[in-house]
Amino acid sequence: YYNWNYGPHTYIGGGTDNWTYGNWYSVIGGGHNNYQYGYASSIGGGMYNSAYDYLARVGGGYSANSMSDYSSNAGGYNTWASGYASSVGGGLDAWAAAYRGTVGGGAYTGVYSSYSTVGGGQSNYVYNSHAMIGGGHNNRVYGYSSSINGGMSCSTYGSWSSVGGGYANRVYNSWSRIAGGYINWNYSSQGTVGGGATNNIVTDPYATIGGGSDNFIYSYASTISGGGDNTAYGHWSTVQGGHYNRVYGTWGAVGGGQVNVAHGTGSIIQSGYGNYIGASYSTIGGGRSNVIYSAYATIRGGASNYVYGYSSTISGGYANTAQNSYSGVQGGYSNKAYSLISNVGGGYGNWVSGYGSNVIGGYINHATGYYSTIGGGLYNAAEGYNSQILGGGYNNVYSSYSSISGGTSNYIYTAYSTISGGHNSWIYGYCGTISGGQYHTSKSSWSTISGGYSNRVVSSWTNIGGGSGNYVSGGSSSITGGASNTIYNSHCHIGGGNSNSIYGYASSINGGLSNSVYSGWGRVAGGQTNKVFGTYGAILGGKSNSISYSSSIIAGGSANGIASDYSTIGGGRSNTIYSSDYATISAGYENFNYGYASTTSGGGDNTVYSSYTTASSGTNNYVTGAYSHVSGGDHNTVFAGSSSIQNGRYNIIYTAYSVTTGGQYNYISGYSATIGGGVSNTVTSSWGGVLGGNNNYIEGAYSIDGAGSGNYVTAYSYVGAGVENIMDENTYGTIGGGYSNTVQSYSYQSILGGEQNFNDGNDATILGGTLNSVSGHDSVIIGGNGNLIDVDGYASMVGGGSANSASSYYSFALGHDAFATSYNSAVFGFGKDSCYAMGPNTINVCTDDGGMFSNGEPVGSNPIDESNNWIDDYSVVGGTLDYACVSGGYKNTANAEYASIGGGRVNRAQGLYAFVGGGYANKVFSNYGAIGGGFKNVVSGRFSSVLGGSRNTAKGRFSLAAGFAAIANQDYSAAFGFDPSKQCVTDDPNEVAFCCDIFTINGADVFDMSRRRLEVSESMQKSSDENAKVIDSLLAKAHEHEKQVADGDARLAKLHSVADRLLKIASAK
């Protein structure tokens, strides 16, 4: 009420004392004492709000004002949007007084320059354009396009500057930033203060203080990362942290620590306390009171270290000195590097005075020779040019290019010599070597003693590896180790062992006990009391083995002997090779080789007499044929050449190029024959074979018996398996298996299986069954029992069944008691009685019902009904169809060529090559479609099928449907509908849909788990519903009971009232 509307097309929605003053299209939604003056302006509600200009808007609040065109004020208390297109989100005493200024909210906030924003907070003010205050308290922005994200009492004076937050932070120059912290001031252009307290960038641009407190930068592009009271005076300088650190040099840096000073250009102090650099490009890594006075020098750590030499280094330690250029001390105590390019690694009291020399560590070691090195130890002295002592004590090198690796009291008097360690060893020969041990002596040049005790070398280019009491007097010979070994000839070697001796030139003994080599180029690898008398002979191990001839080898074993050239015994015992060059016995016992280039791989008591023969293993095997082989087993014998017995027992081969793989008591007397295994199998013909089984007999060439028992095979034939099958007087015949089947007389006959079948027809076949017989050439019996094709049944067939006969050429019989006695006849016996051919070129089908035609004449009592049509071509007037067929039924129509209907009622086959098997009202409209049967099924997709069922549809190409209401809509899809409550539809190509409640595979329900879960869920729901009903019933009873109690209470109160009145009356009387 009391609303006043003076403008056309204006609207006041409600409230009290609201006013619109004449501008069109204005709105006041409601509220109290709101005033609207602007064209198309609006006030949503609130109190004492005003919209003064074009399209000005006020959402609500109290004393919210939109004073300019396009201004917007969401509400709040005493808020003002007075700039053009300005906006106020709310708050208290918020002013957006500039062009497109924005105040989000807060209290006592103001925007006084265009395109600027105050997000909220208290007492925040923006005085320049494109600036922003996100929030906080008492923040001021004076710089163009500057920002304060938050905090308190922060200020920005430079353009494009920013303060992230914190307290009393100030940015005075352009493009500068303070991220946060406390009373940080930034006077640098494009400088940054990350945080901390009372940090100052005083002058030059591009400076950065990451944090800390009381840090100052006075230089261009410098950085202080943190810490306290750090100062950067040099341009591009850096202080990463620490306390009271100073950088005066350009590009200088202090990483941290305390009271460090980097004066030189490009110098760096990484950390530590009281370190000082007074030269350019030098580095102190850390430590305390370290000092560098030269350029490009480094002290990595330690204390009280001094570097005076140019580009010198001290890595650590205490009181070390690098006096000359390019010198270094790596650590330790009181070490001195006096010479150019010298180094002390560590230790105590070590000093280097030789040019380019080095002491790595130890105690009071001196390197005085040029390029000399001492690795460590104590009281070592390297006085020779380029000499070396790696460690030990009291070692001395007096000659050039020599070295002592360690040990004590070792001495070298000749150049290019080496003592690796040990005690009290001496080298007098040029380029000699002692690797270790004690009390060794090397008196010849280029000789070596590797270790041991009291070894001696007296010839040049000799070597003793170790051991004790070893002696070498032959040039270029060596003893690796052992004890009391001796060499008396040149180019010899003893690897170790005890009391081994070499007398032959260029021979060797690897080890063992009391072995001897008397011939040149002989060898004993090890063992005991082995002897080599033959040139180039070798015994690798074992005991009491001997070689008498040239170039033979015994690998091991005991009491083995070789009396032939180029032969080998691998091991075993008492094996003998005699007068058979290039022979081999690999292992075993008491084996004998008398054949040239023959081999016995192992076993025992095997004998090889012929050349190039082999006995691989086993016992008591005997090979006399050249190029023959026995792989294993026992008591096997090969008498012929190029034959093989691979395993088994008591197998015999008398003929060449034959093989017995295994088994026992197998016998081969046929050329190039094979027995794969088994027992008592015999092959007497050439190129025959028995793969296995027992008592099988092959006497025909090129014949094979695969397995089985008691099978007999003649020439060029095959028996795959079975028992007592006979391939007699036949060539190229086959029996696949079975029992007591017989093939005889002709060629190319086959019996694939079965029992007691007989085949004597040329090119005839029996696939299986029992007691079947075929004598007709090129004829076939598929299977069954007691079927017959006699000699007159050329190219005839019995498809199966029982007691059928095809006794004339090109005849066919199927069923039972079917007799195809005429040529080119077919008899199908499916009735109660026998069925006979009706003459040449006839088909006779014997059934109890009939239903077949022969040359147009009906046979039986069920001819095709005249209501069917398979002749008329409806696409051409008066046209007829070729090759269409309706076999029976009622009102069926096949009206496309090659279409067919088997029977049924009102079925239609309308596509080329379409097929309907039977059923009712089934329709095939597409080419190559098929319906097996059923009720009202439809096929409209090419190459699609409905197997059967009711109301199924196959629409997609190559689709399939079955069951009930299954619809295969898409190509290459299948639908199987077994749920009468809904259609089963495929929606995508290559989809198979099964619609059913139960799906089992091998009796297991695939959906059982999900169904059980559903049943449990339904049971739980049902139980929950029943419980709810019970609870509702109980609640109803409780309510009824409460009502009854209330009624009883009311009656009781009434009775109390009556009783009280009666008592009063009684007392009154």
Side-chain angles (χ1 to χ4, degrees):
Y1 55 91
Y2 297 114
N3 294 306
W4 303 84
N5 187 343
Y6 294 101
H9 303 290
T10 58
Y11 173 77
I12 297 177
T16 61
D17 293 310
N18 295 304
W19 298 74
T20 61
Y21 285 98
N23 275 308
W24 290 34
Y25 308 111
S26 297
V27 175
I28 296 177
H32 176 70
N33 267 0
N34 296 304
Y35 295 87
Q36 178 273 321
Y37 302 94
Y39 178 85
S41 59
S42 65
I43 298 174
M47 298 178 62
Y48 301 104
N49 299 310
S50 301
Y52 284 94
D53 222 326
Y54 181 77
L55 287 175
R57 285 171 174 74
V58 176
Y62 184 93
S63 189
N65 302 280
S66 290
M67 310 296 292
S68 185
D69 291 350
Y70 302 101
S71 61
S72 172
N73 193 328
Y77 183 87
N78 195 31
T79 56
W80 298 80
S82 59
Y84 179 86
S86 61
S87 65
V88 175
L92 170 66
D93 284 326
W95 287 78
Y99 181 79
R100 296 189 182 276
T102 300
V103 176
Y108 308 107
T109 55
V111 173
Y112 298 99
S113 188
S114 57
Y115 299 103
S116 293
T117 301
V118 174
Q122 181 179 350
S123 302
N124 296 310
Y125 296 95
V126 176
Y127 296 101
N128 212 326
S129 59
H130 298 280
M132 185 274 288
I133 295 176
H137 176 68
N138 199 33
N139 296 305
R140 302 289 189 274
V141 173
Y142 300 98
Y144 175 80
S145 194
S146 294
S147 65
I148 297 175
N149 291 338
M152 181 176 179
S153 301
C154 297
S155 305
T156 61
Y157 298 91
S159 299
W160 299 285
S161 60
S162 67
V163 175
Y167 176 78
N169 294 307
R170 297 182 183 181
V171 178
Y172 291 96
N173 216 327
S174 299
W175 293 289
S176 291
R177 178 174 180 267
I178 296 176
Y182 178 83
I183 315 180
N184 296 303
W185 290 10
N186 188 345
Y187 294 91
S188 169
S189 173
Q190 303 184 57
T192 300
V193 177
T198 58
N199 296 303
N200 285 269
I201 299 176
V202 179
T203 54
D204 294 338
Y206 304 109
T208 301
I209 296 176
S213 65
D214 298 299
N215 296 304
F216 285 81
I217 294 179
Y218 296 92
S219 53
Y220 179 85
S222 294
T223 300
I224 297 176
S225 299
D229 296 294
N230 297 305
T231 306
Y233 295 98
H235 296 323
W236 296 285
S237 61
T238 301
V239 178
Q240 293 183 352
H243 193 223
Y244 286 111
N245 295 305
R246 301 288 185 269
V247 179
Y248 293 93
T250 303
W251 299 299
V254 174
Q258 188 174 4
V259 198
N260 296 303
V261 178
H263 256 294
T265 299
S267 291
I268 297 173
I269 298 174
Q270 294 177 357
S271 186
Y273 180 86
N275 296 304
Y276 176 84
I277 296 177
S280 299
Y281 304 107
S282 293
T283 301
I284 294 176
R288 180 185 181 91
S289 303
N290 295 303
V291 179
I292 295 177
Y293 291 105
S294 59
Y296 298 100
T298 301
I299 296 176
R300 292 190 174 90
S304 302
N305 296 303
Y306 286 82
V307 175
Y308 299 94
Y310 177 83
S311 192
S312 293
T313 300
I314 295 177
S315 296
Y318 181 77
N320 296 305
T321 303
Q323 190 73 36
N324 215 323
S325 298
Y326 308 106
S327 61
V329 178
Q330 307 305 316
Y333 178 78
S334 191
N335 295 303
K336 306 289 189 290
Y338 291 110
S339 55
L340 190 68
I341 320 179
S342 61
N343 176 65
V344 178
Y348 174 84
N350 298 303
W351 52 271
V352 179
S353 61
Y355 177 88
S357 293
N358 180 27
V359 175
I360 297 175
Y363 182 83
I364 312 181
N365 295 302
H366 300 158
T368 60
Y370 275 27
Y371 302 108
S372 61
T373 300
I374 297 176
L378 73 161
Y379 295 109
N380 295 306
E383 300 182 13
Y385 179 84
N386 208 2
S387 60
Q388 181 182 73
I389 298 174
L390 298 183
Y394 304 96
N395 295 305
N396 294 270
V397 177
Y398 298 102
S399 187
S400 301
Y401 302 104
S402 293
S403 67
I404 296 175
S405 299
T408 59
S409 302
N410 296 303
Y411 295 86
I412 295 177
Y413 292 93
T414 53
Y416 298 101
S417 294
T418 302
I419 296 177
S420 299
H423 174 68
N424 205 24
S425 293
W426 302 71
I427 294 178
Y428 301 95
Y430 177 80
C431 201
T433 301
I434 296 175
S435 298
Q438 295 182 329
Y439 301 103
H440 301 302
T441 303
S442 174
K443 293 187 175 182
S444 55
S445 300
W446 296 287
S447 294
T448 301
I449 298 174
S450 298
Y453 180 85
S454 190
N455 294 305
R456 290 185 299 151
V457 290
V458 297
S459 298
S460 298
W461 297 288
T462 55
N463 172 54
I464 294 177
S468 66
N470 296 305
Y471 177 81
V472 178
S473 64
S476 301
S477 293
S478 63
I479 296 175
T480 302
S484 302
N485 297 303
T486 56
I487 295 177
Y488 297 98
N489 212 324
S490 301
H491 302 286
C492 295
H493 171 72
I494 295 177
N498 191 317
S499 301
N500 297 302
S501 300
I502 295 177
Y503 302 92
Y505 177 82
S507 295
S508 65
I509 297 174
N510 289 1
L513 173 65
S514 299
N515 297 302
S516 303
V517 178
Y518 297 93
S519 60
W521 296 281
R523 179 188 178 199
V524 175
Q528 180 179 349
T529 61
N530 296 303
K531 292 179 172 51
V532 176
F533 297 96
T535 305
Y536 304 108
I539 297 175
L540 303 184
K543 180 180 179 181
S544 300
N545 298 302
S546 66
I547 295 175
S548 302
Y549 282 63
S550 174
S551 303
S552 292
I553 296 174
I554 296 176
S558 64
N560 297 304
I562 296 178
S564 60
D565 294 334
Y566 309 106
S567 295
T568 301
I569 294 177
R573 64 175 173 81
S574 301
N575 296 303
T576 302
I577 298 175
Y578 185 78
S579 297
S580 51
D581 294 346
Y582 301 100
T584 301
I585 297 177
S586 299
Y589 61 92
E590 297 181 7
N591 296 302
F592 290 87
N593 274 27
Y594 299 97
Y596 178 85
S598 59
T599 301
T600 299
S601 299
D605 290 309
N606 296 305
T607 303
V608 176
Y609 281 99
S610 299
S611 300
Y612 306 104
T613 55
T614 302
S616 296
S617 63
T619 61
N620 294 288
N621 295 305
Y622 189 87
V623 184
T624 64
Y627 303 101
S628 292
H629 173 227
V630 174
S631 297
D634 65 272
H635 295 89
N636 297 304
T637 303
V638 178
F639 291 102
S642 302
S643 292
S644 170
I645 296 177
Q646 296 180 8
N647 212 328
R649 307 178 69 235
Y650 296 99
N651 297 302
I652 299 175
I653 295 177
Y654 284 97
T655 50
Y657 301 103
S658 296
V659 176
T660 296
T661 304
Q664 58 182 350
Y665 299 105
N666 295 303
Y667 178 90
I668 293 178
S669 60
Y671 177 83
S672 192
T674 301
I675 295 178
V679 179
S680 299
N681 295 303
T682 301
V683 179
T684 61
S685 58
S686 300
W687 297 288
V690 175
L691 301 185
N694 65 85
N695 293 297
N696 297 300
Y697 192 91
I698 302 288
E699 70 171 3
Y702 301 101
S703 294
I704 296 175
D705 182 272
S709 174
N711 296 309
Y712 176 84
V713 186
T714 56
Y716 300 99
S717 297
Y718 169 78
V719 174
V723 178
E724 297 181 7
N725 296 300
I726 297 174
M727 188 72 64
D728 188 20
E729 299 179 7
N730 174 279
T731 56
Y732 308 108
T734 299
I735 297 177
Y739 171 74
S740 195
N741 296 302
T742 302
V743 174
Q744 69 177 25
S745 301
Y746 288 99
S747 301
Y748 306 105
Q749 299 151 274
S750 299
I751 297 176
L752 298 188
E755 181 178 346
Q756 298 183 33
N757 296 302
F758 182 83
N759 186 341
D760 65 345
N762 195 52
D763 290 303
T765 300
I766 297 175
L767 298 183
T770 61
L771 297 171
N772 297 304
S773 177
V774 57
S775 299
H777 296 345
D778 300 299
S779 296
V780 177
I781 296 177
I782 302 297
N785 176 55
N787 297 302
L788 171 66
I789 298 177
D790 64 21
V791 70
D792 294 324
Y794 173 79
S796 295
M797 175 183 287
V798 174
S802 174
N804 298 300
S805 174
S807 58
S808 186
Y809 58 88
Y810 306 121
S811 59
F812 176 82
L814 179 65
H816 73 88
D817 296 295
F819 297 92
T821 56
S822 301
Y823 68 87
N824 205 28
S825 65
V827 179
F828 298 86
F830 299 106
K832 297 178 181 178
D833 302 320
S834 298
C835 187
Y836 295 90
M838 296 292 101
N841 304 309
T842 63
I843 298 174
N844 187 19
V845 179
C846 297
T847 66
D848 292 339
D849 260 352
M852 296 294 293
F853 280 82
S854 176
N855 293 326
E857 295 298 324
V859 177
S861 60
N862 187 24
I864 296 177
D865 193 278
E866 294 180 354
S867 64
N868 296 297
N869 184 6
W870 66 94
I871 299 173
D872 296 329
D873 185 357
Y874 297 116
S875 63
V876 179
V877 176
T880 60
L881 290 171
D882 294 327
Y883 312 112
C885 172
V886 176
S887 299
Y890 178 75
K891 286 191 177 181
N892 297 305
T893 302
N895 60 341
E897 292 190 346
Y898 303 101
S900 62
I901 298 175
R905 183 177 180 185
V906 199
N907 296 304
R908 178 178 292 274
Q910 194 167 319
L912 293 174
Y913 302 95
F915 171 77
V916 178
Y920 179 81
N922 295 304
K923 294 176 176 58
V924 178
F925 297 107
S926 60
N927 297 336
Y928 308 100
I931 296 176
F935 177 77
K936 289 190 177 181
N937 297 302
V938 177
V939 172
S940 58
R942 284 182 297 149
F943 306 100
S944 296
S945 303
V946 173
L947 301 180
S950 174
R951 301 184 187 278
N952 299 300
T953 303
K955 291 183 179 180
R957 292 180 304 119
F958 303 97
S959 62
L960 174 67
F964 173 76
I967 302 174
N969 275 328
Q970 302 297 326
D971 294 347
Y972 302 97
S973 66
F976 298 88
F978 303 107
D979 186 348
S981 65
K982 61 182 179 181
Q983 290 183 334
C984 186
V985 182
T986 61
D987 296 319
D988 297 301
N990 308 106
E991 176 186 356
V992 176
F994 282 88
C995 302
C996 58
D997 293 333
I998 299 174
F999 190 113
T1000 64
I1001 297 177
N1002 293 330
D1005 188 355
V1006 176
F1007 303 139
D1008 182 59
M1009 185 176 292
S1010 60
R1011 185 172 65 256
R1012 287 182 182 177
R1013 287 199 295 265
L1014 179 61
E1015 289 173 354
V1016 170
S1017 177
E1018 291 175 348
S1019 175
M1020 292 177 66
Q1021 183 62 43
K1022 182 178 179 182
S1023 177
S1024 177
D1025 294 340
E1026 291 175 354
N1027 290 336
K1029 290 179 181 179
V1030 171
I1031 292 170
D1032 292 338
S1033 175
L1034 292 174
L1035 288 174
K1037 290 180 180 179
H1039 293 156
E1040 182 66 27
H1041 183 262
E1042 289 175 357
K1043 184 178 179 182
Q1044 292 175 358
V1045 170
D1047 292 340
D1049 289 342
R1051 287 195 298 270
L1052 185 62
K1054 187 178 290 185
L1055 290 174
H1056 279 300
S1057 176
V1058 171
D1060 288 341
R1061 287 199 302 271
L1062 291 174
L1063 287 172
K1064 288 180 180 180
I1065 293 171
S1067 61
K1069 290 183 178 181

